[in-house]
Amino acid sequence: MAQETELEEVIAAVKGSRKYGDTSEETIRMLAVEALRQHKRPKAAIKAVRKRLHSIMAPYLGDPDYEDAAAALDAAFAAGDDAKIKEICLAALESHLSTRERLPIMEAFYQHIFQLTGRPKRLLDIACALNPMAFTWMGLTDSVEYYAYDIHEPRIDFLNHYFQLQGLLPLARLQDVALAPPQETADVALFLKEMPRFERNYPGSGRDLLINLPVRYLVVSFPTISTHGGRSLVNRYRQFFAELVAGQSWPVEELMFDGEMVFIADKS
Ligand SMILES: C[S@@+](CC[C@H](N)C(=O)[O-])C[C@H]1O[C@@H](n2cnc3c(N)ncnc32)[C@H](O)[C@@H]1O
């Protein structure tokens, strides 16, 4: 009983915090259970959960003002102003480091990837952050079933808002893929620029995730240059990906873009 009270205390404290309150409660609960195994005092457990969330949520990568961006999209779609819609999508992509870095290559990026995989009818975007806002530059039609997974509540609400305005099904999901890996079958799964953090946060889970995803093509990308210091990460991540898929007989293609390298594994 006392343990249950402490668990709820830790969850409430983190959920009530300004910095991490946007995180899925399921994720916070899992981390709180783990933290209370290691720390007797709730205060120490709260600190431990916050520390892990710093690495998992990476809030330092940036966010737009979701309410303002949603209202701006409403107005632009109501006016049928395509240029304005694109401008708002670009501003959202710009607000998060991963997509900001991809902007200069964004159109070529999806063109080359889908040339190899074929245009997906069903696409999974795992640990998506704001990447689905690049939909217009992906060369897909609005009949695509675009599943997007993240653990940040306002981000998922915003993505579904945009999907509906754009004529897509609202398939963005608040789902912790470390706790509940996607079960949807699909043509292509994107797992972009998150694998190093994912393996650090949930050691050993990255390989299992890739093996268990019921998709034809896995598209896994890595930055080629470190954020701090500008060191090349090409050899390190090429080796890392080879280790992740070691023992699988999947043919793998490598694509190199300015700032991002992509591995496409054919699981068929
Ligand atoms: C670096 S960003 C990903 C960027 C995006 N894939 C891209 O390349 O544009 C990492 C995202 O992963 C999400 N994330 C981290 N762990 C997750 C998990 N276990 N399940 C679902 N999403 C997760 C975070 O909330 C964050 O939005």
Side-chain angles (χ1 to χ4, degrees):
M1 190 66 189
Q3 273 174 346
E4 194 58 31
T5 314
E6 282 167 357
L7 178 61
E8 294 311 322
E9 183 183 338
V10 174
I11 295 168
V14 178
K15 198 71 191 137
S17 74
R18 200 175 48 83
K19 202 161 178 189
Y20 300 111
D22 288 337
T23 310
S24 143
E25 189 164 327
E26 183 192 26
T27 301
I28 296 176
R29 182 171 292 275
M30 184 256 300
L31 297 176
V33 168
E34 286 178 10
L36 281 166
R37 272 194 214 119
Q38 288 172 345
H39 305 274
K40 284 211 179 72
R41 288 172 37 248
K43 213 171 157 187
I46 292 166
K47 203 171 159 196
V49 172
R50 288 176 62 93
K51 191 168 172 209
R52 287 202 59 196
L53 280 177
H54 183 73
S55 175
I56 292 171
M57 299 296 283
Y60 48 87
L61 296 179
D63 282 287
D65 180 316
Y66 290 102
E67 276 183 27
D68 285 0
L73 280 175
D74 283 339
F77 273 96
D81 187 342
D82 289 345
K84 189 73 190 167
I85 294 167
K86 278 190 160 180
E87 190 186 302
I88 299 162
C89 291
L90 284 172
L93 292 164
E94 172 99 24
S95 70
H96 186 94
L97 182 66
S98 307
T99 36
R100 178 160 71 246
E101 287 174 339
R102 191 175 300 121
L103 282 178
I105 55 162
M106 186 160 67
E107 219 158 341
F109 185 82
Y110 291 106
Q111 201 184 342
H112 283 96
I113 290 171
F114 294 146
Q115 235 164 39
L116 278 170
T117 64
R119 287 210 183 92
K121 292 192 176 66
R122 191 184 271 181
L123 174 68
L124 312 185
D125 193 343
I126 300 171
C128 62
L130 288 153
N131 189 56
M133 299 306 292
F135 171 73
T136 305
W137 290 267
M138 291 183 183
L140 302 175
T141 65
D142 57 14
S143 67
V144 68
E145 290 179 30
Y146 193 147
Y147 285 83
Y149 308 84
D150 206 290
I151 49 177
H152 188 283
E153 287 172 356
R155 210 172 274 165
I156 290 298
D157 289 347
F158 175 67
L159 292 175
N160 276 329
H161 189 80
Y162 165 67
F163 278 173
Q164 281 175 298
L165 289 169
Q166 187 64 53
L168 298 170
L169 293 168
L171 297 173
R173 300 201 156 162
L174 190 69
Q175 183 169 328
D176 190 319
V177 301
L179 278 171
Q183 300 295 311
E184 288 74 24
T185 56
D187 306 301
V188 175
L190 304 174
F191 194 48
L192 304 183
K193 288 209 276 192
E194 183 57 8
M195 187 56 95
R197 218 184 328 265
F198 193 74
E199 267 291 300
R200 201 167 57 233
N201 294 329
Y202 316 97
S205 298
R207 184 180 160 81
D208 289 347
L209 181 71
L210 297 186
I211 290 174
N212 292 322
L213 280 170
V215 302
R216 164 86 194 256
Y217 289 103
L218 295 169
V219 177
V220 184
S221 80
F222 298 86
T224 56
I225 295 170
S226 64
T227 311
H228 310 291
R231 261 179 317 112
S232 170
L233 301 171
V234 169
N235 290 337
R236 189 212 286 192
Y237 285 149
R238 193 175 278 146
Q239 171 72 20
F240 181 37
F241 186 75
E243 284 163 15
L244 283 169
V245 299
Q248 307 301 324
S249 54
W250 308 330
V252 174
E253 297 267 1
E254 180 184 312
L255 295 177
M256 188 65 73
F257 296 93
D258 195 14
E260 191 162 353
M261 66 199 292
V262 181
F263 298 96
I264 303 182
D266 181 351
K267 294 181 78 180
S268 60

